[in-house]
Amino acid sequence: MDKRTTDKRTAPRLPFRPLADKLKAASSRLTGTGLLAAVLCGTTALGCGLVAFDALVLPGNGRADASKLYDYVYAAGKSENVDFVANNMSDDGLLCFGSSEWYISKNRVSMCPQAVFGESGAGVDMTYIGEGYDQDLWQAIAAGAYGTGSKVKNRKVVLMVSPQWFFKNSGDENKLYTKFSYSLYRAFMQSDQVSEKTKAYVRGRCSALGVEADKLAAASRDTALDAVNDEVFAATDAWQLRSDINNITKLAPTKSDARRAAESSGQSSEPDWDALLSSAQSEGEAACTNNDFGVYDAFWEKNHTFDPELFQNFDQANDEYADFACLLEVCREVGFEPLVCILPVHGQWYDVSDVSQADRQGYYERIRQICDAAGASYADFSGFEYEKYFLCDTVHPGWKGWVRIEHAVYDYAKDVRGQDDCIVWGDGQK
């Protein structure tokens, strides 16, 4: 989402890649039964090594310490690990696909989801999926991986759509190869719920954006050798993800007293939205004292001369709009019911950056039309472009913004209609 967020995750390390290369060389000299025997022998030998390493070295993907809350952890390796997330998300959790907005913690904005939902007894949780630079195509792959099967019980999900993805040349889509997750892509491509047409579209887009051809072929098991490579890539990526678990559990916050009390009693209570908005106004004012844009002071001091929005437009991103439509189609195919959160741009900042109102309104309308065509519900916050403190910087939701987003998510989760007028219920949700 944020061009200022640096991705620290590198491509998966492949300690057993030499084995795959040797098998590939051997396969060129073998045909028929000889090739099959070589593949089987290689797979058996590899399997024995994997079992030993798996059992003795790495933490498992099962239930972790129940005194902690894992939904709100923003860390490398979490979102890609479907088993860990599914086994440790809250019973009241909704998968929330987004990007760097999940980085905003309560130390910056005390109205963030961890505080409003995670530390209370509201009966709703937002389970963060995604990191900075994860755009619609990444999310489509992740939705297919998470949606396949019955690991995730709650079929309502939230999609956070960032305007920056739809800048010229489809935002930062060219960073996909640096964020590519073999585990998610494999689960997506081997899903029996995702259509062949959708798989072909996603594979083509991944190829165009620089993902290695051998990984794309392996996930689809195009040949016998690709099937071997699939096992190697999958095992190596799984090991990498499981090596990240200790850090994830370390970062997970301990459940608050209020949270534990609510879980023990089985009683939930709706947040006081008016009180939260009042607090948001006060906190925003206190945090933004050196500028008139409602941007927190440290950000303004560091970035006020940095303007990636300058002269941008939203009509040269056809690939990203198509990826967004694909994301909604994946949700339909796997049985997810999405609430699309249409985030606003920072109106005052975009005015000085010469991004016209007509261009901005055209973007919002195009997103709404794609949602309508898919029968998807959406929470439209485009009317808050000029609300001070909706954003905490020029990109991410802030004090008032999080309260309004959380209110919409709460109403959607509880199926409360008519209370939050930002929500437009899609045809598929009527």
Side-chain angles (χ1 to χ4, degrees), residues 136-145 148 185 187-207 216 220 322-335:
D136 286 300
L137 184 61
W138 187 96
Q139 293 185 2
I141 295 168
T148 297
Y185 182 76
F188 174 90
M189 292 302 293
Q190 297 180 13
S191 168
D192 59 2
Q193 294 174 242
V194 179
S195 70
E196 292 303 315
K197 180 180 179 180
T198 301
K199 290 177 183 178
Y201 172 84
V202 168
R203 181 172 179 173
R205 288 284 289 136
C206 287
S207 178
L216 300 180
S220 295
D323 289 347
F324 175 56
C326 176
L327 169 57
L328 295 182
E329 174 61 17
V330 171
C331 287
R332 187 194 67 78
E333 291 179 353
V334 300

Side-chain angles (χ1 to χ4, degrees), residues 147-189:
T148 297
S150 58
K151 290 181 179 179
V152 178
K153 295 180 181 179
N154 193 343
R155 308 312 285 180
K156 286 187 175 182
V157 300
V158 175
L159 310 179
M160 301 288 284
V161 177
S162 299
Q164 295 76 27
W165 301 347
F166 301 87
F167 281 170
K168 299 173 186 176
N169 301 315
S170 300
D172 286 308
E173 68 168 10
N174 60 357
K175 288 186 170 62
L176 175 73
Y177 78 96
T178 70
K179 305 305 305 296
F180 181 78
S181 164
Y182 188 78
S183 294
L184 291 180
Y185 182 76
R186 180 187 196 238
F188 174 90
M189 292 302 293

Side-chain angles (χ1 to χ4, degrees), residues 36-228:
L36 178 60
V39 170
L40 291 175
C41 289
T43 303
T44 300
L46 177 62
C48 292
L50 299 187
V51 170
F53 186 77
D54 186 85
L56 299 176
V57 178
L58 296 174
N61 286 324
R63 290 287 295 173
D65 182 356
S67 69
K68 290 192 167 188
L69 199 60
Y70 302 94
D71 302 78
Y72 303 95
V73 175
Y74 179 90
K78 176 202 164 186
S79 298
E80 298 93 329
N81 195 332
V82 175
D83 287 336
F84 180 84
V85 171
N87 286 328
N88 291 284
M89 66 186 292
S90 163
D91 291 340
D92 298 318
L94 280 71
L95 292 177
C96 295
F97 297 89
S99 50
S100 61
E101 61 273 326
W102 307 141
Y103 180 75
I104 302 299
S105 69
K106 66 177 184 177
N107 293 329
R108 174 63 58 204
V109 177
S110 67
M111 296 80 197
C112 72
Q114 177 187 332
V116 172
F117 287 150
E119 296 180 3
S120 72
V124 173
D125 280 302
M126 296 175 65
T127 305
Y128 295 169
I129 303 295
E131 300 175 42
Y133 297 117
D134 291 337
Q135 297 187 184
D136 286 300
L137 184 61
W138 187 96
Q139 293 185 2
I141 295 168
Y146 276 93
T148 297
S150 58
K151 290 181 179 179
V152 178
K153 295 180 181 179
N154 193 343
R155 308 312 285 180
K156 286 187 175 182
V157 300
V158 175
L159 310 179
M160 301 288 284
V161 177
S162 299
Q164 295 76 27
W165 301 347
F166 301 87
F167 281 170
K168 299 173 186 176
N169 301 315
S170 300
D172 286 308
E173 68 168 10
N174 60 357
K175 288 186 170 62
L176 175 73
Y177 78 96
T178 70
K179 305 305 305 296
F180 181 78
S181 164
Y182 188 78
S183 294
L184 291 180
Y185 182 76
R186 180 187 196 238
F188 174 90
M189 292 302 293
Q190 297 180 13
S191 168
D192 59 2
Q193 294 174 242
V194 179
S195 70
E196 292 303 315
K197 180 180 179 180
T198 301
K199 290 177 183 178
Y201 172 84
V202 168
R203 181 172 179 173
R205 288 284 289 136
C206 287
S207 178
L209 292 172
V211 178
E212 297 96 321
D214 57 348
K215 290 183 178 177
L216 300 180
S220 295
R221 295 180 164 236
D222 289 345
T223 67
L225 178 59
D226 290 322
V228 175

Side-chain angles (χ1 to χ4, degrees), residues 357-370:
Q357 268 285 353
D359 218 30
R360 283 137 59 176
Q361 294 305 316
Y363 156 72
Y364 299 133
E365 180 58 24
R366 193 163 178 180
I367 295 296
R368 288 190 290 262
Q369 288 175 355
I370 294 173

Side-chain angles (χ1 to χ4, degrees), residues 243-317:
S243 72
D244 291 331
I245 289 176
N246 287 334
N247 182 55
I248 294 168
T249 56
K250 179 181 178 181
L251 293 174
T254 299
K255 292 178 181 178
S256 66
D257 291 341
R259 174 73 183 227
R260 290 195 300 271
E263 289 179 345
S264 297
S265 66
Q267 300 296 317
S268 62
S269 57
E270 182 174 359
D272 186 333
W273 304 114
D274 289 338
L276 283 169
L277 279 174
S278 178
S279 296
Q281 177 71 26
S282 299
E283 188 172 313
E285 290 174 353
C288 309
T289 63
N290 62 0
N291 65 92
D292 296 324
F293 288 83
V295 169
Y296 69 88
D297 290 349
F299 181 91
W300 182 257
E301 290 173 4
K302 183 178 180 180
N303 295 296
H304 70 277
T305 60
F306 178 54
D307 191 359
E309 294 81 15
L310 188 63
F311 304 132
Q312 278 290 352
N313 65 54
F314 295 100
D315 57 8
Q316 297 179 33

